[in-house]
Structures are given as C-alpha cells and as structure tokens.
Amino acid sequence: MSTITLYGATGTIGSRVLDEALRRGHTVTAVVRDPAKLTTVHPALTVAVGDVLDPASVAEHAKGADVVVSAVGGGDGPGHQALIKPSFESLVTGLRTLGADAPRLVTVGGAGSLRTPDGKQVWDTPGLPEFLLQIMHAHGDALDHLRTVSDLRWTNLSPAGTIAPGERTGTYRTGLEDLLIGADGESRISTEDYAVALLDEVEDPQHLGERFTVAY
C-alpha cells in the first residue's frame, strides 16, 4: 500500500480519488486550505492545512510520501487559469527540494489537448464556450510545463471528453494522445472510474513521464 499526499480532496474528482484510495487501503494525507470542507473520516486519513501554490508547503507535506496526487480545480475558466499551471509549477519546485527522495507526482489533466479523429485537438471544436476553452487551455499549459520536467517521476491523466459523477464499474480503456471514443460515438468516463484508473496508475505505474487518457 502507498502513502499518498492528495491535493483537491474536496472537489468532484478529488473526492472520488480520496474514496478510491481509502477503499484500497492506502494511507492518505489530504492537504486542504479549509479543513471544515472535508467531512470524510477514516482511520487511514489525515487532514492537513497547506497551500498547493507554496513550494515550501508542498515539500513539507510531500516528504515521506510515495505519491503526490493533484486533483486541484479552479472552478470557472479564470479560476483554472489562475491555479492549474501555477500549482503544477509549485508542485514541481517543492518536490525538487526533496531530491532523490521526491515522491512520484500524478496530476489530473484535461481533455482539451487530446487529438480528435480529424487530426485536430478537442479545443479546436467549433462553438465551445469561452469558459470551457479557458479551462482546457489552462490544463494544456500545465501539461506543457510538466513535459519540460525530466528530473521527477510524473504522470498526467486526461479524462474523456465528458466526465461526470456516475457508476463505479472498474472497467475502462486507456490511450495516450488521442481522444477515446466509444462504440456509441461518445467520449465519456464517470468520475468514479476515472479515480479507479488513477489509483491503478498509482499502484502500478505504466505512464511515467507522459500523459495518458481514460474512457469507456
């Protein structure tokens, strides 16, 4: 079992990651700014106060962990632009101070930069609202930063085109740079099965130093 430091545990995806990690018997430290917002109680869960945008705080809470998982989100478009890439930069800076003892970094990514069947990217789809484009490009910029990092073990997991709360089936398909589309013509995954895929990667790393994606 792993010792996991988790950021974003109160969010839609992060809360499912937390539940899945505890379900599997991992030890989790959820780093939050407001502990009152995290109501989960579990013997293997520690709630700590910290700031993902502060590299010193990152280093403090990551020390001794096997894996750091970032599921932070910024709410709306401007919120994502203000948080996603800066949080990735802070995580990288903080983990670097731990040297050879730095844990792996697994981050929640976006689908916007995935390739579509016509060879373009999801964010090139006509008619997308501005707030969604801002979210997509915030994740794309953060991934671009990760791709400059060669001295840490990192993985970025992009969801399907649609991700929403639903059923935990425990089944999914994985890909790398291409948007995965099901037989029904849809690209989707539940947050529960996204969390399954993320914890599978935590337990058995298959995508060190790269982005992968998951869908039905």
Side-chain angles (χ1 to χ4, degrees):
M1 292 299 102
S2 297
T3 300
I4 300 170
T5 297
L6 173 62
Y7 289 90
T10 61
T12 301
I13 295 177
S15 62
R16 271 71 176 184
V17 171
L18 175 60
D19 290 345
E20 183 68 21
L22 294 174
R23 173 189 183 126
R24 297 185 185 207
H26 298 291
T27 300
V28 181
T29 295
V31 183
V32 297
R33 285 185 293 180
D34 182 2
K37 292 184 177 180
L38 185 58
T39 58
T40 301
V41 177
H42 192 281
L45 172 63
T46 300
V47 181
V49 176
D51 184 358
V52 72
L53 296 178
D54 179 358
S57 177
V58 168
E60 175 188 354
H61 294 296
K63 187 175 182 180
D66 299 309
V67 184
V68 172
V69 175
S70 176
V72 297
D76 59 8
H80 274 77
Q81 291 183 322
L83 180 62
I84 303 302
K85 183 181 178 183
S87 69
F88 280 32
E89 292 172 334
S90 175
L91 287 161
V92 168
T93 300
L95 293 180
R96 277 177 170 156
T97 67
L98 301 179
D101 294 327
R104 285 189 289 131
L105 174 63
V106 179
T107 56
V108 171
S113 57
L114 293 169
R115 283 193 301 258
T116 54
D118 61 4
K120 297 182 180 180
Q121 289 171 290
V122 173
W123 57 40
D124 295 320
T125 303
L128 293 176
E130 181 61 25
F131 83 90
L132 186 56
L133 289 170
Q134 290 175 333
I135 292 172
M136 288 179 173
H137 283 286
H139 280 290
D141 291 343
L143 176 58
D144 285 343
H145 178 68
L146 278 184
R147 285 174 165 160
T148 69
V149 176
S150 58
D151 56 333
L152 294 173
R153 297 167 297 160
W154 62 266
T155 301
N156 182 261
L157 176 53
S158 288
T162 299
I163 179 170
E167 183 183 358
R168 182 192 186 278
T169 70
T171 61
Y172 58 86
R173 295 181 297 139
T174 62
L176 294 177
E177 296 300 315
D178 294 309
L179 183 73
L180 295 175
I181 300 173
D184 60 358
E186 300 294 325
S187 176
R188 60 186 182 84
I189 191 76
S190 71
T191 48
E192 286 78 6
D193 281 333
Y194 177 94
V196 170
L198 190 147
L199 266 297
D200 285 349
E201 178 69 20
V202 165
E203 294 177 353
D204 183 18
Q206 299 293 312
H207 300 283
L208 293 178
E210 65 183 12
R211 178 260 293 276
F212 76 109
T213 186
V214 59
Y216 293 129

